Amino acid sequence: MLDIPCPHDDQRRDERTVTDTAPGTASRTPTRRYGTRPTMKDVAARAGVGLKTVSRVVNGEPGVTPDTERRVQEAITALGFRRNDSARILRKGRTASIGLVLEDLADPFYGPLSRAVEEVARAHGALLINGSSAEDPEREQELVLALCARRVDGLVIIPAGHDHRYLAPEMAAGVATVFVDRPAGRVDADAVLSDSFGGSRDAVAHLIAHGHRRIGFLGDLPGIHTAAERLRGYHAAMSEAGLPVHDAWVSLGPTDPERVRAAATAMLNAAEPVTALFAGNNRVTVTVVRVLAERPAPAAPVALVGFDDFELADLLSPGVTVIAQDSAQLGRTAADLLFRRLDGAGGEPRRLVLPTRLIPRGSGELPPPADPTP
Amino acid sequence: MLDIPCPHDDQRRDERTVTDTAPGTASRTPTRRYGTRPTMKDVAARAGVGLKTVSRVVNGEPGVTPDTERRVQEAITALGFRRNDSARILRKGRTASIGLVLEDLADPFYGPLSRAVEEVARAHGALLINGSSAEDPEREQELVLALCARRVDGLVIIPAGHDHRYLAPEMAAGVATVFVDRPAGRVDADAVLSDSFGGSRDAVAHLIAHGHRRIGFLGDLPGIHTAAERLRGYHAAMSEAGLPVHDAWVSLGPTDPERVRAAATAMLNAAEPVTALFAGNNRVTVTVVRVLAERPAPAAPVALVGFDDFELADLLSPGVTVIAQDSAQLGRTAADLLFRRLDGAGGEPRRLVLPTRLIPRGSGELPPPADPTP
DNA sequence: ACCGGCACTGACAACGTTGTCCAGCGGCTA
DNA sequence: TAGCCGCTGGACAACGTTGTCAGTGCCGGT
């Protein structure tokens, strides 16, 4: 099917590892039909006890003589028995697993979030099943419903779509659901958000405080909640400072480098160019940094503030001023809330908003060029 | 239990969203006992058909009258029925899910890898269950066995430990297993690796070609396979060039910034300081970049090559020369191999080694200071 | 009008586990 | 020594689904 590139297949440069790998493997493998696993019944037969006794031993329930327990344990290791959790889940009704649906695991923003959710899940003895929606509402729904079919106990969702009514039956059936980063659409559910509006207002106010009047905003697709909120924060800061907003200063759309590059260049090359840029998320920020770095050094460098912190932002020159949101904290908070719900916490759906933090590093503190019309 | 920080709880700044969220939710929720889901039996009763007919409709099997199918579909939507995959799995034996165990999802190296594995799984109709081992062998084993208990069809493992004999019974029982980034220990299994040895040799040869003779190596814990391989590559390049290696030029250990910082500083401040550094992975590289940035500008800047590419490496000044390995390709290759095994591909365990690529960006091309002993 | 055959439907067992309940057996007390 | 109590162990049903197989009704052909 797919062609595996394999330039050095089996070259086995590392003889040491290969050598101590070989011996002792086959001999340890218990003799058993390939692909068929032993069940408790097999263990019971081998240990000469009843089925339930094996169950008791496996689950550490009381009421088993030490001697019997030993016999059962021996049978278990001899057969290589491992409890079938599918059957257990079917019987018990709880799966001890939660689902996480996010946009893209490869995005550095979601890695820590995912990890934080996993840590909380682990603390509650649950496994994490996750999937990427690739920002596609249909794929999100498909994934969420697949997870529901697996009977996950709860869901943490970073929504791609805007209509989550399809979740209503699931939620009614007891699947705890927490939305993160963006709120649910057309359904009443818990949500944990960053303060996109406030953070953006802070960012733009910061630029204004450093003397900028023509500030560009490069944001994500306007349909995305955080993008809309950040745009709102931008407008709020501008209007609070009594500054006009020119249409050409705002560009919303996909965050692929080409579009962002074009939009930023247009703003910078306009007749009345912007003197500062506010980038709506980390992908945009990185592209803008590249654009600015490629431009011939202007008289006054363009100021920049980005939403989302990113690694090495402090090592660039100048360091990039950002609005930091703690994605791990976002995940942790959401997962905590989820397990609180699973433990029976009732009440109205809550909306938690986590604060953002402005980290000045230089790029946001650059002054605009001397104004020809003072 | 855990205290949720919630500075703006329910402040509901965004009235628009709240408004269009509220209506229409409760009325759509079907009347049903909370926490109990309808089963095929319920659907069959409501539709006035037999159990198996519902099963047929749900699975799109032929042999159902359009009229009957319609009745069943109506009952399904009316009740909010969703097939219980736990029961399905128990019955069918295959779970259509694979497990991924890696070190840390928050590490930028593993994000793309994880995403690639997920994409392949998705293409095969499988879900991905993942867990982080946090580089702890016990936790790795615990996770892997939990996944086996879930009867995942296959496993992709980035091993933390060195003894995977505990997997032998599982593999014998038919759980396909592919190791990534590092080979399995004491068990014969498929592995997909990057060419750590070759890449490191290239890196160090590159530095040597630019005139360096005293080159430091900052690596990960020597127990980690890739770290050992990279060290071996370092030694190979040095000895191929006829250069001696001073003990003080090699430092292996945890990659926390403090240790790396201390080790790098020691090498740079020694009586005969190194003129170039080779960093054994991306975390180390970043710390070294910081260390070098903080030092007062020396007569000749210290050269640097890092193993693993990282975002923005090209935007630093100078750009950081790296040995790039394609972590997504690593994941894709491993997942492809896994599904090939699941589709019945037999044969000896394979070891695939993917090539690395040297990307010169400036930091590795810096010449050493003029040599006082020519 | 009868019969064979076909298309559709449904009863039932099984997957592997856990909860319920009862039987057996030991020791302890009267 | 007999009776009772408590503890251990096992038989059985149930979880919700799918595969097997048999049964039903209807159609067309003769």
Side-chain angles (χ1 to χ4, degrees):
Chain A
M1 186 171 296
L2 263 165
D3 199 33
I4 284 196
C6 168
H8 312 278
D9 188 15
D10 276 327
Q11 66 181 25
R12 310 228 157 170
R13 271 169 164 166
D14 189 353
E15 307 81 5
R16 290 168 303 159
T17 305
V18 173
T19 307
D20 67 17
T21 286
T25 301
S27 56
R28 276 187 55 84
T29 306
T31 33
R32 202 163 8 80
R33 314 171 293 298
Y34 186 90
T36 301
R37 306 212 52 149
T39 73
M40 285 193 176
K41 212 164 150 185
D42 301 326
V43 175
R46 167 138 188 165
V49 301
L51 192 52
K52 188 64 223 273
T53 301
V54 177
S55 172
R56 272 194 271 261
V57 171
V58 169
N59 293 294
E61 291 170 21
V64 181
T65 327
D67 180 63
T68 309
E69 170 161 4
R70 193 185 43 73
R71 283 215 317 284
V72 172
Q73 285 292 6
E74 279 175 11
I76 287 177
T77 38
L79 294 174
F81 166 80
R82 178 128 11 246
R83 180 178 63 195
N84 184 330
D85 271 354
S86 292
R88 171 172 230 257
I89 286 165
L90 175 60
R91 187 64 231 265
K92 304 203 73 148
R94 281 245 157 159
T95 58
S97 55
I98 66 173
L100 171 64
V101 176
L102 38 70
E103 190 220 320
D104 183 0
L105 254 182
D107 187 319
F109 179 72
Y110 296 115
L113 192 156
S114 174
R115 178 67 195 277
V117 172
E118 187 199 337
E119 286 302 326
V120 176
R122 181 179 145 82
H124 288 262
L127 278 179
L128 184 65
I129 308 183
N130 62 4
S132 301
S133 68
E135 204 68 82
D136 172 356
E138 271 191 50
R139 186 159 159 184
E140 172 205 306
Q141 175 169 352
E142 179 192 312
L143 254 168
V144 166
L145 292 184
L147 292 170
C148 288
R150 292 277 167 129
R151 296 292 188 271
V152 291
D153 297 334
L155 283 168
V156 176
I157 303 178
I158 294 161
H162 298 92
D163 186 348
H164 298 93
R165 280 176 296 183
Y166 69 86
L167 261 171
E170 313 300 329
M171 291 171 65
V175 181
T177 307
V178 177
F179 285 77
V180 184
D181 193 42
R182 310 165 191 171
R186 316 197 68 172
V187 101
D188 220 12
D190 290 319
V192 178
L193 313 174
S194 267
D195 186 6
S196 283
F197 172 81
S200 297
R201 193 171 50 178
D202 294 349
V204 177
H206 185 74
L207 289 168
I208 294 171
H210 283 81
H212 294 273
R213 297 174 53 91
R214 298 196 301 276
I215 302 172
F217 174 59
L218 291 159
D220 211 329
L221 289 163
I224 297 176
H225 177 261
T226 50
E229 282 294 286
R230 289 169 199 178
L231 175 62
R232 215 159 62 84
Y234 166 83
H235 278 296
M238 292 298 270
S239 83
E240 278 164 21
L243 295 175
V245 172
H246 196 295
D247 274 354
W249 299 347
V250 172
S251 171
L252 303 181
T255 58
D256 58 288
E258 292 70 30
R259 191 199 69 87
V260 172
R261 185 173 288 271
T265 307
M267 290 184 197
L268 294 168
N269 291 344
E272 273 209 323
V274 298
T275 63
L277 285 169
F278 173 47
N281 71 36
N282 54 1
R283 284 178 300 252
V284 174
T285 308
V286 168
T287 304
V288 171
V289 168
R290 284 184 201 286
V291 170
L292 296 181
E294 288 163 11
R295 291 172 69 82
V302 175
L304 169 66
V305 177
F307 208 107
D308 291 346
D309 199 1
F310 56 95
E311 197 174 41
L312 300 182
D314 57 325
L315 279 184
L316 299 174
S317 40
V320 178
T321 297
V322 298
I323 304 295
Q325 52 175 332
D326 188 341
S327 69
Q329 182 64 23
L330 218 50
R332 209 174 303 123
T333 307
D336 281 337
L337 180 53
L338 183 71
F339 280 101
R340 210 108 46 81
R341 294 292 191 195
L342 286 177
D343 289 346
E348 284 297 294
R350 303 183 66 191
R351 172 175 296 208
L352 308 183
V353 178
L354 302 184
T356 57
R357 199 160 46 94
L358 189 148
I359 305 180
R361 292 206 179 103
S363 74
E365 294 73 47
L366 296 169
D371 197 332
T373 61
Chain B
M1 186 172 297
L2 264 165
D3 198 32
I4 285 198
C6 169
H8 311 278
D9 188 15
D10 276 328
Q11 67 181 24
R12 310 227 157 171
R13 273 173 162 163
D14 188 353
E15 307 82 4
R16 290 168 304 159
T17 304
V18 171
T19 308
D20 68 15
T21 286
T25 300
S27 56
R28 276 188 54 84
T29 305
T31 33
R32 200 160 13 77
R33 312 171 294 299
Y34 186 89
T36 301
R37 304 211 54 148
T39 73
M40 284 193 176
K41 211 164 151 186
D42 301 326
V43 174
R46 167 138 189 165
V49 301
L51 192 53
K52 189 61 223 274
T53 300
V54 178
S55 171
R56 271 192 272 262
V57 171
V58 169
N59 293 294
E61 290 172 22
V64 180
T65 325
D67 180 64
T68 310
E69 171 160 3
R70 193 186 42 71
R71 284 215 318 284
V72 172
Q73 285 292 7
E74 279 174 11
I76 286 177
T77 37
L79 294 173
F81 167 79
R82 178 130 9 250
R83 180 179 63 196
N84 185 329
D85 271 356
S86 292
R88 171 170 230 257
I89 286 165
L90 175 60
R91 186 65 230 267
K92 304 203 72 145
R94 279 247 159 155
T95 59
S97 55
I98 65 173
L100 171 64
V101 176
L102 37 69
E103 191 219 321
D104 182 0
L105 255 181
D107 186 318
F109 179 70
Y110 296 115
L113 192 155
S114 174
R115 177 67 196 278
V117 172
E118 186 199 338
E119 286 303 325
V120 176
R122 181 178 144 82
H124 288 261
L127 279 179
L128 184 65
I129 308 182
N130 63 3
S132 301
S133 67
E135 204 67 82
D136 171 356
E138 270 190 52
R139 187 158 158 184
E140 171 205 307
Q141 174 169 352
E142 179 192 312
L143 252 168
V144 167
L145 292 183
L147 292 169
C148 288
R150 292 279 167 127
R151 295 293 187 270
V152 291
D153 296 335
L155 283 167
V156 175
I157 302 177
I158 294 161
H162 298 91
D163 185 347
H164 298 94
R165 280 175 297 182
Y166 69 86
L167 261 172
E170 314 298 330
M171 292 171 64
V175 181
T177 307
V178 177
F179 286 76
V180 183
D181 192 43
R182 311 164 190 172
R186 318 198 66 172
V187 103
D188 221 12
D190 289 319
V192 178
L193 313 174
S194 265
D195 185 6
S196 284
F197 171 82
S200 298
R201 192 171 51 179
D202 295 348
V204 176
H206 185 75
L207 290 168
I208 293 171
H210 282 82
H212 294 273
R213 298 174 53 90
R214 298 196 303 275
I215 302 172
F217 175 59
L218 292 159
D220 212 329
L221 288 164
I224 298 176
H225 178 260
T226 50
E229 281 296 285
R230 290 169 198 179
L231 175 62
R232 215 160 62 83
Y234 165 83
H235 278 296
M238 292 296 270
S239 82
E240 279 164 21
L243 294 176
V245 172
H246 196 295
D247 274 354
W249 299 348
V250 173
S251 170
L252 303 181
T255 58
D256 58 287
E258 292 70 29
R259 191 199 69 86
V260 172
R261 186 173 286 271
T265 306
M267 289 183 196
L268 294 168
N269 291 344
E272 273 210 322
V274 297
T275 63
L277 285 169
F278 173 46
N281 71 36
N282 53 1
R283 285 178 300 254
V284 174
T285 308
V286 169
T287 304
V288 170
V289 168
R290 284 183 201 286
V291 170
L292 295 180
E294 288 162 11
R295 291 172 68 85
V302 175
L304 170 66
V305 177
F307 209 107
D308 290 347
D309 199 1
F310 56 96
E311 198 174 41
L312 301 182
D314 57 324
L315 280 184
L316 300 174
S317 42
V320 178
T321 297
V322 299
I323 303 295
Q325 51 176 332
D326 188 340
S327 70
Q329 182 64 24
L330 218 49
R332 209 174 304 123
T333 307
D336 281 338
L337 180 52
L338 182 71
F339 280 100
R340 212 107 46 83
R341 293 293 190 193
L342 286 177
D343 288 346
E348 283 297 294
R350 302 183 67 189
R351 173 175 297 207
L352 307 183
V353 178
L354 302 184
T356 57
R357 197 162 46 95
L358 190 148
I359 305 180
R361 292 206 179 102
S363 74
E365 293 73 46
L366 297 168
D371 197 331
T373 61

